[in-house]
Amino acid sequence: MGTAAGRSRAGRVAVVGDLATDIVIRTDGPPAVGSDRPAKIRYSGGGAAANTAVWLARVGVPVTLVARVGDDAPGRERIAELVAAGVEPAVAVDPELPTASIAVLVDGDGERTMFPDRAAADRLDAADVAAVVGRDGVRHLHLSGYALLDAGSRKAGLAALDAAKQRDLTISVDAASAAPLEAVGPARFLRWVAGVDLLLANAAEAAALTGLSDPSVSAAKLATSVGTAVVKDGAGGAWWRGTSGAAWVAAEPARRVVDTTGAGDAFAAGLLAAWLTGAGPAGALAAGARAGTLAVGLPGARP
Protein backbone atom coordinates (compact mmCIF):
# COMPACT_ATOMS: atom_id res chain seq x y z
CA MET A 1 0.00 0.00 0.00
CA GLY A 2 1.05 3.59 -0.52
CA THR A 3 1.70 6.00 2.29
CA ALA A 4 -1.22 7.67 4.00
CA ALA A 5 0.23 11.08 3.24
CA GLY A 6 0.01 10.31 -0.47
CA ARG A 7 -3.70 9.57 -0.41
CA SER A 8 -6.80 11.70 -0.03
CA ARG A 9 -8.08 12.13 3.50
CA ALA A 10 -11.42 13.68 2.51
CA GLY A 11 -14.48 11.49 2.90
CA ARG A 12 -16.13 8.90 5.06
CA VAL A 13 -14.80 6.22 7.42
CA ALA A 14 -16.24 2.71 7.05
CA VAL A 15 -16.11 0.79 10.32
CA VAL A 16 -16.60 -2.97 9.96
CA GLY A 17 -17.39 -5.37 12.77
CA ASP A 18 -19.86 -6.00 15.55
CA LEU A 19 -23.01 -4.34 16.87
CA ALA A 20 -24.24 -5.83 20.12
CA THR A 21 -26.17 -5.36 23.34
CA ASP A 22 -23.95 -4.90 26.38
CA ILE A 23 -25.32 -6.39 29.60
CA VAL A 24 -23.16 -4.60 32.16
CA ILE A 25 -22.99 -6.17 35.63
CA ARG A 26 -21.31 -4.04 38.30
CA THR A 27 -20.33 -5.59 41.62
CA ASP A 28 -18.48 -4.34 44.68
CA GLY A 29 -16.52 -7.54 45.04
CA PRO A 30 -15.68 -10.82 43.34
CA PRO A 31 -18.48 -13.25 42.47
CA ALA A 32 -19.67 -15.36 45.39
CA VAL A 33 -19.38 -18.71 43.64
CA GLY A 34 -22.38 -20.92 44.37
CA SER A 35 -24.17 -18.06 46.16
CA ASP A 36 -25.28 -14.44 45.57
CA ARG A 37 -23.46 -11.15 45.10
CA PRO A 38 -25.56 -7.96 44.83
CA ALA A 39 -25.02 -6.14 41.54
CA LYS A 40 -26.25 -3.28 39.41
CA ILE A 41 -27.22 -4.38 35.89
CA ARG A 42 -27.82 -2.15 32.86
CA TYR A 43 -28.36 -2.72 29.16
CA SER A 44 -26.78 -0.53 26.49
CA GLY A 45 -25.46 -0.51 22.96
CA GLY A 46 -22.11 -2.21 22.50
CA GLY A 47 -19.80 -4.01 20.13
CA ALA A 48 -16.24 -2.80 19.54
CA ALA A 49 -16.82 -1.61 15.98
CA ALA A 50 -20.09 0.13 16.86
CA ASN A 51 -18.50 1.84 19.84
CA THR A 52 -15.67 3.23 17.71
CA ALA A 53 -18.16 4.42 15.10
CA VAL A 54 -20.18 6.30 17.72
CA TRP A 55 -17.09 7.95 19.19
CA LEU A 56 -16.02 8.99 15.68
CA ALA A 57 -19.42 10.51 15.00
CA ARG A 58 -19.22 12.38 18.30
CA VAL A 59 -16.25 14.39 17.00
CA GLY A 60 -17.84 15.01 13.62
CA VAL A 61 -16.25 12.32 11.46
CA PRO A 62 -18.67 11.00 8.77
CA VAL A 63 -18.91 7.30 9.54
CA THR A 64 -20.76 4.20 8.36
CA LEU A 65 -20.97 1.03 10.42
CA VAL A 66 -21.12 -2.29 8.57
CA ALA A 67 -22.52 -4.99 10.85
CA ARG A 68 -25.24 -7.62 11.23
CA VAL A 69 -28.01 -7.98 13.81
CA GLY A 70 -30.94 -10.29 14.40
CA ASP A 71 -34.53 -9.69 13.36
CA ASP A 72 -35.47 -8.75 16.91
CA ALA A 73 -36.19 -5.85 19.24
CA PRO A 74 -32.57 -5.51 20.46
CA GLY A 75 -31.37 -5.27 16.87
CA ARG A 76 -33.85 -2.53 16.04
CA GLU A 77 -32.91 -0.66 19.22
CA ARG A 78 -29.20 -0.88 18.42
CA ILE A 79 -29.75 0.50 14.90
CA ALA A 80 -31.88 3.34 16.25
CA GLU A 81 -29.11 4.26 18.70
CA LEU A 82 -26.61 4.48 15.84
CA VAL A 83 -28.85 6.82 13.88
CA ALA A 84 -29.41 9.00 16.95
CA ALA A 85 -25.63 9.19 17.45
CA GLY A 86 -25.03 10.30 13.86
CA VAL A 87 -23.70 7.00 12.50
CA GLU A 88 -24.94 5.77 9.12
CA PRO A 89 -25.98 2.13 9.65
CA ALA A 90 -25.22 -0.36 6.90
CA VAL A 91 -26.58 -3.14 9.07
CA ALA A 92 -27.94 -6.37 7.62
CA VAL A 93 -30.69 -8.30 9.42
CA ASP A 94 -30.20 -12.01 9.97
CA PRO A 95 -33.45 -13.99 9.68
CA GLU A 96 -32.36 -16.75 12.06
CA LEU A 97 -29.84 -15.69 14.69
CA PRO A 98 -30.44 -13.07 17.40
CA THR A 99 -28.52 -9.85 17.85
CA ALA A 100 -25.14 -10.33 19.51
CA SER A 101 -24.94 -9.77 23.25
CA ILE A 102 -22.01 -9.30 25.60
CA ALA A 103 -22.16 -9.86 29.34
CA VAL A 104 -19.68 -7.43 30.89
CA LEU A 105 -18.63 -7.99 34.50
CA VAL A 106 -17.22 -4.75 35.97
CA ASP A 107 -15.45 -4.93 39.32
CA GLY A 108 -15.04 -2.25 41.98
CA ASP A 109 -11.96 -0.82 40.23
CA GLY A 110 -13.79 -0.41 36.93
CA GLU A 111 -11.96 -3.30 35.23
CA ARG A 112 -14.14 -5.37 32.92
CA THR A 113 -14.30 -9.02 31.89
CA MET A 114 -16.40 -9.91 28.85
CA PHE A 115 -18.48 -12.94 27.91
CA PRO A 116 -19.59 -12.45 24.28
CA ASP A 117 -22.27 -14.31 22.34
CA ARG A 118 -21.61 -13.15 18.78
CA ALA A 119 -24.77 -14.71 17.31
CA ALA A 120 -25.74 -12.74 14.16
CA ALA A 121 -22.44 -10.80 14.23
CA ASP A 122 -20.65 -13.99 13.25
CA ARG A 123 -22.62 -14.08 9.99
CA LEU A 124 -21.27 -10.79 8.69
CA ASP A 125 -21.55 -11.04 4.91
CA ALA A 126 -18.50 -10.51 2.70
CA ALA A 127 -20.54 -9.05 -0.17
CA ASP A 128 -22.24 -6.51 2.10
CA VAL A 129 -18.89 -5.44 3.53
CA ALA A 130 -17.15 -5.10 0.17
CA ALA A 131 -20.05 -3.06 -1.24
CA VAL A 132 -19.83 -0.46 1.51
CA VAL A 133 -16.03 -0.28 1.58
CA GLY A 134 -16.09 0.16 -2.20
CA ARG A 135 -18.44 3.16 -2.14
CA ASP A 136 -17.35 6.47 -3.58
CA GLY A 137 -16.45 8.87 -0.80
CA VAL A 138 -15.15 6.28 1.67
CA ARG A 139 -11.59 7.26 2.57
CA HIS A 140 -10.66 4.89 5.36
CA LEU A 141 -11.46 1.41 6.65
CA HIS A 142 -11.37 0.64 10.35
CA LEU A 143 -11.73 -3.08 10.97
CA SER A 144 -12.45 -4.59 14.36
CA GLY A 145 -10.18 -7.57 14.86
CA TYR A 146 -13.13 -9.62 16.09
CA ALA A 147 -14.26 -9.91 12.47
CA LEU A 148 -11.04 -11.81 11.74
CA LEU A 149 -10.76 -13.73 15.00
CA ASP A 150 -14.15 -15.45 14.71
CA ALA A 151 -14.39 -18.05 11.96
CA GLY A 152 -17.90 -17.15 10.85
CA SER A 153 -17.10 -13.51 10.09
CA ARG A 154 -13.51 -14.03 8.92
CA LYS A 155 -14.34 -14.12 5.22
CA ALA A 156 -16.10 -10.77 5.59
CA GLY A 157 -13.16 -9.28 7.48
CA LEU A 158 -10.73 -10.39 4.81
CA ALA A 159 -13.07 -9.08 2.11
CA ALA A 160 -13.07 -5.67 3.81
CA LEU A 161 -9.28 -5.58 3.79
CA ASP A 162 -9.10 -6.69 0.17
CA ALA A 163 -11.66 -4.11 -0.98
CA ALA A 164 -9.86 -1.33 0.87
CA LYS A 165 -6.49 -2.30 -0.59
CA GLN A 166 -7.94 -2.42 -4.10
CA ARG A 167 -9.23 1.15 -3.65
CA ASP A 168 -5.98 2.29 -1.98
CA LEU A 169 -7.79 3.39 1.17
CA THR A 170 -5.97 3.91 4.43
CA ILE A 171 -6.65 1.02 6.79
CA SER A 172 -6.59 0.55 10.55
CA VAL A 173 -7.18 -2.69 12.43
CA ASP A 174 -7.86 -3.07 16.14
CA ALA A 175 -6.34 -6.29 17.48
CA ALA A 176 -9.43 -6.73 19.69
CA SER A 177 -8.59 -9.23 22.45
CA ALA A 178 -5.60 -11.22 23.69
CA ALA A 179 -7.19 -14.62 24.33
CA PRO A 180 -8.77 -14.95 20.84
CA LEU A 181 -5.49 -13.79 19.27
CA GLU A 182 -3.66 -16.59 21.06
CA ALA A 183 -6.34 -19.08 20.00
CA VAL A 184 -6.24 -18.17 16.31
CA GLY A 185 -2.45 -17.90 16.23
CA PRO A 186 -0.33 -14.74 16.08
CA ALA A 187 1.32 -15.65 12.78
CA ARG A 188 -2.04 -16.11 11.04
CA PHE A 189 -3.41 -12.82 12.34
CA LEU A 190 -0.30 -10.88 11.36
CA ARG A 191 -0.43 -12.43 7.91
CA TRP A 192 -4.04 -11.26 7.49
CA VAL A 193 -3.24 -7.67 8.49
CA ALA A 194 0.18 -7.38 6.83
CA GLY A 195 0.74 -3.98 5.28
CA VAL A 196 -2.17 -2.10 6.86
CA ASP A 197 -1.44 1.48 7.81
CA LEU A 198 -2.28 1.21 11.52
CA LEU A 199 -2.48 -1.75 13.88
CA LEU A 200 -3.83 -0.87 17.33
CA ALA A 201 -3.30 -3.18 20.30
CA ASN A 202 -3.16 -2.98 24.05
CA ALA A 203 -0.11 -4.33 25.87
CA ALA A 204 -1.63 -7.78 26.42
CA GLU A 205 -2.65 -8.09 22.77
CA ALA A 206 0.77 -6.93 21.59
CA ALA A 207 2.40 -9.49 23.89
CA ALA A 208 0.15 -12.22 22.49
CA LEU A 209 1.20 -11.26 18.95
CA THR A 210 4.93 -10.89 19.58
CA GLY A 211 5.79 -12.76 22.78
CA LEU A 212 7.32 -9.52 24.08
CA SER A 213 6.10 -7.98 27.32
CA ASP A 214 7.60 -4.49 26.96
CA PRO A 215 5.02 -2.38 25.06
CA SER A 216 7.64 -0.22 23.38
CA VAL A 217 9.55 -3.25 22.15
CA SER A 218 6.40 -5.11 21.04
CA ALA A 219 5.26 -2.00 19.12
CA ALA A 220 8.57 -1.90 17.27
CA LYS A 221 8.27 -5.60 16.47
CA LEU A 222 4.71 -5.23 15.18
CA ALA A 223 5.79 -2.32 12.99
CA THR A 224 7.86 -4.74 10.93
CA SER A 225 4.57 -6.22 9.66
CA VAL A 226 2.45 -3.06 9.28
CA GLY A 227 2.97 0.61 8.47
CA THR A 228 2.55 1.73 12.08
CA ALA A 229 1.87 -0.10 15.33
CA VAL A 230 0.19 1.67 18.25
CA VAL A 231 0.40 -0.11 21.60
CA LYS A 232 -1.55 1.11 24.64
CA ASP A 233 -0.49 0.34 28.19
CA GLY A 234 -3.21 1.96 30.29
CA ALA A 235 -1.63 4.22 32.90
CA GLY A 236 1.76 3.53 31.28
CA GLY A 237 0.88 5.60 28.21
CA ALA A 238 0.91 4.64 24.54
CA TRP A 239 3.59 4.02 21.89
CA TRP A 240 3.66 4.76 18.17
CA ARG A 241 6.23 2.93 16.09
CA GLY A 242 6.44 2.79 12.31
CA THR A 243 7.34 4.35 8.98
CA SER A 244 5.86 7.72 10.00
CA GLY A 245 8.04 8.00 13.09
CA ALA A 246 8.13 7.07 16.75
CA ALA A 247 6.39 8.66 19.73
CA TRP A 248 5.22 8.04 23.26
CA VAL A 249 2.60 9.93 25.24
CA ALA A 250 1.73 9.65 28.90
CA ALA A 251 -1.72 8.50 29.84
CA GLU A 252 -4.28 11.22 30.51
CA PRO A 253 -5.04 11.11 34.25
CA ALA A 254 -8.58 10.03 35.00
CA ARG A 255 -10.33 11.73 37.91
CA ARG A 256 -12.39 8.63 38.43
CA VAL A 257 -12.46 5.23 36.74
CA VAL A 258 -16.10 4.21 36.45
CA ASP A 259 -16.01 1.60 33.70
CA THR A 260 -13.19 0.61 31.34
CA THR A 261 -15.63 -0.94 28.85
CA GLY A 262 -15.08 0.64 25.44
CA ALA A 263 -12.02 2.67 26.47
CA GLY A 264 -9.92 1.11 23.72
CA ASP A 265 -12.68 1.78 21.18
CA ALA A 266 -12.78 5.43 22.23
CA PHE A 267 -8.98 5.63 22.04
CA ALA A 268 -9.09 4.28 18.48
CA ALA A 269 -11.68 6.86 17.46
CA GLY A 270 -9.79 9.76 19.00
CA LEU A 271 -6.54 8.70 17.39
CA LEU A 272 -8.13 8.14 13.97
CA ALA A 273 -10.02 11.43 13.99
CA ALA A 274 -6.74 13.27 14.62
CA TRP A 275 -4.58 11.20 12.27
CA LEU A 276 -7.03 11.43 9.38
CA THR A 277 -6.94 15.21 9.61
CA GLY A 278 -3.17 15.39 9.49
CA ALA A 279 -1.97 15.00 13.08
CA GLY A 280 1.46 13.51 13.59
CA PRO A 281 2.25 10.57 15.86
CA ALA A 282 2.35 12.51 19.13
CA GLY A 283 -0.79 14.49 18.35
CA ALA A 284 -2.73 11.39 17.29
CA LEU A 285 -1.67 9.50 20.42
CA ALA A 286 -2.63 12.42 22.64
CA ALA A 287 -6.07 12.64 21.02
CA GLY A 288 -6.57 8.92 21.56
CA ALA A 289 -5.49 9.19 25.19
CA ARG A 290 -7.96 12.02 25.84
CA ALA A 291 -10.83 10.02 24.36
CA GLY A 292 -9.90 6.90 26.32
CA THR A 293 -9.76 8.85 29.57
CA LEU A 294 -13.15 10.37 28.89
CA ALA A 295 -14.54 6.88 28.26
CA VAL A 296 -13.36 5.36 31.55
CA GLY A 297 -15.16 8.10 33.46
CA LEU A 298 -18.50 7.15 31.93
CA PRO A 299 -20.75 4.11 32.51
CA GLY A 300 -20.93 1.88 29.47
CA ALA A 301 -18.96 1.92 26.26
CA ARG A 302 -20.23 5.06 24.55
CA PRO A 303 -20.61 8.80 25.14
Side-chain angles (χ1 to χ4, degrees), residues 24 26 42 104 106 110 112 257-261 263 295-301:
V24 182
R26 294 187 60 87
R42 64 188 295 270
V104 185
V106 182
R112 93 292 186 274
V257 177
V258 174
D259 184 353
T260 60
T261 307
V296 300
L298 302 172

Side-chain angles (χ1 to χ4, degrees), residues 4 140-143 170-175 193 195-201 226-230 240-241 244 268 271-272 275-276 284:
H140 180 83
L141 165 68
H142 179 70
L143 178 67
T170 49
I171 302 173
S172 55
V173 177
D174 194 308
V193 303
V196 304
D197 298 280
L198 289 171
L199 175 63
L200 290 83
V226 299
T228 293
V230 174
W240 176 295
R241 297 287 186 271
S244 56
L271 181 142
L272 287 174
W275 181 70
L276 289 169

Side-chain angles (χ1 to χ4, degrees), residues 155-218:
K155 184 177 180 180
L158 293 173
L161 292 172
D162 185 59
K165 289 175 181 177
Q166 288 185 23
R167 295 198 58 231
D168 200 29
L169 305 183
T170 49
I171 302 173
S172 55
V173 177
D174 194 308
S177 184
L181 284 169
E182 292 171 349
V184 80
R188 293 179 72 197
F189 184 83
L190 289 173
R191 185 169 63 250
W192 294 330
V193 303
V196 304
D197 298 280
L198 289 171
L199 175 63
L200 290 83
N202 64 28
E205 293 154 5
L209 288 170
T210 65
L212 301 169
S213 59
D214 185 309
S216 176
V217 178
S218 63

Side-chain angles (χ1 to χ4, degrees), residues 44-134:
S44 62
N51 297 338
T52 297
V54 170
W55 282 99
L56 282 168
R58 178 182 179 273
V59 293
V61 176
V63 58
T64 300
L65 175 71
V66 189
R68 191 176 186 91
V69 297
D71 186 8
D72 51 27
R76 290 184 284 275
E77 291 169 2
R78 301 292 80 81
I79 293 172
E81 289 167 349
L82 293 177
V83 174
V87 176
E88 178 192 38
V91 180
V93 176
D94 192 285
E96 298 174 345
L97 293 179
T99 298
S101 57
I102 306 169
V104 185
L105 180 63
V106 182
D107 65 21
D109 296 323
E111 188 56 66
R112 93 292 186 274
T113 302
M114 295 187 172
F115 303 87
D117 178 357
R118 286 182 55 78
D122 210 27
R123 283 190 180 176
L124 193 62
D125 186 85
D128 292 343
V129 168
V132 174
V133 175

